[in-house]
Amino acid sequence: MTRRGIDVSVYQGNINWDMTKKDIDFAIVRCGFGGNVTTQDDRMWETNATACERLKIPYGTYLYSYARSVEEAINEADHVLRLIKNKKLEYPIYYDVEENDYINQVSNEQLVKQCIAFCDRIEKAGYYVGIYSSRYFLETRLNSNSLDRFDKWVAEWNPEPTYNKSFGMWQYTNNAKVSGIEGRVDANIAYLDYPTIIRNSG
């Protein structure tokens, strides 16, 4: 059974979650970007996460990466762990690895090492972790067997996903209209029952 959800950040502004709840099964809420400093927390993280918990909307989170070394990737994991302390996540924590000026400075091999370092740190803290990126980036920069053990959230704005490896969630558009949100928002389909998987694994 598939579930439909959205991913949001400060860019969606003040969300009327009471209205939004009617249109979604889950939400992925950005907690921040880059290293573990408060100035790089998403300014709407606490508001959005608190609303999801109040309304019993299952949610997870993601952090947008700027890492150029394993040490920076671990620091980004610590950024997430600081912000999710005492939160009740029922969807994964995703490492958002996309084409940007920072990531383009490192080799594919180095980028894979950074992803492993981030994901290992999150897993050792007892959380379910995955990697978010575009299909193209996953197939060109992150196409390593050593990342196969981590869940994938694939961005591919097409009628059907064509990523040729295993993945649990598909971001199919950045142009959805959802109640309670002004403007457009990213929309997703989850193919796995993450709340049950996460509860059963503690």
Side-chain angles (χ1 to χ4, degrees):
M1 177 178 144
T2 60
R3 291 167 169 80
R4 294 186 176 270
I6 55 173
D7 59 275
V8 300
S9 70
V10 66
Y11 297 113
Q12 274 66 53
N14 291 305
I15 297 171
N16 185 335
W17 284 100
D18 293 86
M19 293 180 62
T20 301
K21 180 181 180 179
K22 298 180 294 183
D23 291 353
I24 64 172
D25 299 315
F26 69 90
I28 308 296
V29 179
R30 189 178 79 159
C31 63
F33 53 95
N36 189 15
V37 292
T38 57
T39 54
Q40 294 181 172
D41 298 351
D42 188 296
R43 294 193 309 277
M44 294 301 293
W45 157 248
E46 191 65 35
T47 297
N48 288 335
T50 299
C52 287
E53 293 192 6
R54 174 177 63 84
L55 294 165
K56 295 181 169 52
I57 300 170
Y59 75 104
T61 191
Y62 74 95
L63 179 127
Y64 187 93
S65 176
Y66 289 103
R68 290 170 291 181
S69 68
V70 165
E71 291 74 22
E72 288 180 355
I74 291 171
N75 187 253
E76 290 182 336
D78 289 341
H79 189 178
V80 177
L81 294 173
R82 170 172 60 82
L83 290 171
I84 65 172
K85 188 176 182 181
N86 300 321
K87 295 288 189 291
K88 298 178 177 67
L89 276 67
E90 294 184 81
Y91 272 72
I93 295 163
Y94 290 102
Y95 198 30
D96 183 347
V97 183
E98 301 182 46
E99 186 171 0
N100 63 44
D101 291 341
Y102 291 88
I103 287 173
N104 282 336
Q105 296 176 28
V106 303
S107 67
N108 287 8
E109 181 182 14
Q110 176 64 29
L111 193 56
V112 168
K113 288 179 181 178
Q114 292 170 196
C115 289
I116 292 171
F118 177 95
C119 292
D120 280 349
R121 185 77 149 201
I122 297 294
E123 281 191 341
K124 285 175 183 174
Y127 294 94
Y128 191 117
V129 69
I131 297 169
Y132 165 89
S133 197
S134 68
R135 177 189 62 81
Y136 176 79
F137 209 74
L138 286 165
E139 291 178 348
T140 58
R141 299 294 314 275
L142 298 172
N143 188 22
S144 168
N145 292 338
S146 60
L147 295 179
D148 288 350
R149 63 189 176 95
F150 301 116
D151 201 352
K152 304 297 190 307
W153 171 17
V154 181
E156 184 177 0
W157 301 336
N158 284 323
E160 298 290 339
T162 61
Y163 182 54
N164 58 10
K165 286 190 174 185
S166 176
F167 62 98
M169 195 154 71
W170 170 38
Q171 184 187 82
Y172 62 90
T173 185
N174 66 339
N175 198 35
K177 184 60 182 168
V178 174
S179 301
I181 299 178
E182 291 189 16
R184 301 292 173 165
V185 66
D186 298 338
N188 306 275
I189 294 175
Y191 297 100
L192 301 178
D193 181 1
Y194 287 111
T196 299
I197 291 169
I198 288 170
R199 281 195 297 269
N200 288 346
S201 63

